[in-house]
Amino acid sequence: PRGGQFGRNGWPVSPNYPDVEIRNILGLFGWICTVVYGDSGDPVKEQENKSTNYKNSKAIADPIGSPLERFQKACNDGEGPACLNLGYIYERGNGAPINKLQAIGYYQKACDAGTIEGCNMAGTLFYNGDGFEKNKAKAIELFQKACNGGDYTGACFKVGIMYSKGDGVGLDKAVAATYYQKACDGNNANACHNLAIFYYSEGNGIAMNKQLAEELFGKACRLGSEPSCRFAPSATKTPSEEKKNEVPTISPESSQTK
């Protein structure tokens, strides 16, 4: 082989970066796969990591420095996805020791750089207070920013839940309804269900409208909300007396922190 094609240890080098052996590039992609998909043999961990929606970053193709250094450099240069990736790494402990405070700092940087998912992730950590003091006022501020930035399905629903329960913010069901509507328009089944409940009876900050409530229950049912199916209109069945007298309840609070 011609000079420059192999490194000191016998591994081929990158033609574009003659000082970087191919094994280092392969090692980077192997590290990325570990961060994204987790170690094999643990389906729960793998599924959790697959749901992370790991973001592309110019740091992946950068041959200089360790993976963490590359993401940190790109983040310091203002690249939102790189900051988001660092947040994932430090929150989940994939590629670095778990450090929730560092994770929330990187999520906040991603948010400030315009990566909306960073706002949602930082808000969730502030809401849960895992390893540090909860700050629900900061959480709803970040959820609202994410919602206004286009995260209708997740962040808008969280804001709706918090206003509907007076959780970290003043109770205001009329405001909650507007956020539920945004989330429902984004096909969040729980948001459609909760908005339907508001229309189902009086005293929820909006005018009662049982026809609209049934339509929303129907949409929520089609989107996978099993409780909504009990109240969705049916063309083939007459509602039982038990169903007529049943009162729907708000979707589980646990949905808020996912």
Side-chain angles (χ1 to χ4, degrees):
R2 291 178 298 174
Q5 287 185 310
F6 293 93
R8 290 176 301 172
N9 296 312
W11 277 78
V13 298
S14 165
N16 295 325
Y17 303 98
D19 294 329
V20 180
E21 294 182 358
I22 293 296
R23 67 170 175 173
N24 292 334
I25 297 174
L26 294 175
L28 170 61
F29 282 100
W31 180 87
I32 290 167
C33 289
T34 300
V35 172
V36 180
Y37 297 109
D39 297 325
S40 61
D42 187 346
V44 174
K45 185 175 180 181
E46 287 182 5
Q47 184 58 45
E48 177 187 12
N49 291 330
K50 286 178 182 178
S51 68
T52 296
N53 191 22
Y54 198 75
K55 299 294 183 182
N56 287 328
S57 165
K58 65 183 181 182
I60 292 175
D62 187 346
I64 301 172
S66 70
L68 276 178
E69 289 171 342
R70 298 172 199 187
F71 284 129
Q72 286 166 344
K73 181 178 182 299
C75 178
N76 291 338
D77 288 342
E79 188 195 286
C83 300
L84 183 65
N85 291 340
L86 286 167
Y88 290 148
I89 289 167
Y90 282 108
E91 181 184 4
R92 299 174 185 272
N94 289 335
I98 290 176
N99 188 321
K100 298 294 180 68
L101 284 175
Q102 280 192 279
I104 207 168
Y106 282 118
Y107 286 145
Q108 183 72 66
K109 282 188 175 182
C111 177
D112 293 342
T115 301
I116 294 303
E117 190 174 344
C119 308
N120 195 2
M121 298 298 291
T124 300
L125 287 180
F126 274 120
Y127 182 89
N128 291 328
D130 186 4
F132 51 89
E133 187 175 355
K134 294 181 180 181
N135 188 336
K136 292 187 178 181
K138 183 66 174 177
I140 197 167
E141 175 189 323
L142 288 161
F143 290 148
Q144 286 173 321
K145 185 172 182 178
C147 175
N148 294 335
D151 184 2
Y152 303 123
T153 303
C156 295
F157 175 67
K158 293 173 184 177
V159 176
I161 280 280
M162 292 180 79
Y163 271 107
S164 71
K165 294 179 175 291
D167 184 12
V169 68
L171 177 67
D172 193 327
K173 291 190 175 182
V175 172
T178 64
Y179 283 101
Y180 282 150
Q181 184 67 66
K182 286 184 179 182
C184 180
D185 291 343
N187 291 332
N188 182 305
N190 287 339
C192 297
H193 175 87
N194 291 355
L195 184 60
I197 291 172
F198 279 18
Y199 282 114
Y200 192 82
S201 58
E202 295 179 341
N204 289 312
I206 54 177
M208 185 173 69
N209 186 331
K210 289 208 171 184
Q211 181 178 349
L212 182 53
E214 286 192 344
E215 291 174 6
L216 288 164
F217 280 133
K219 180 177 180 178
C221 177
R222 292 190 297 275
L223 290 171
S225 172
E226 185 176 343
S228 296
C229 297
R230 297 176 59 82
F231 300 93
S234 172
T236 58
K237 295 181 180 180
T238 301
S240 65
E241 288 301 317
E242 179 183 0
K243 180 179 174 181
K244 286 180 181 178
N245 296 327
E246 187 176 355
V247 178
T249 57
I250 290 287
S251 291
E253 188 175 3
S254 59
S255 302
Q256 181 176 347
T257 58
K258 292 182 178 178

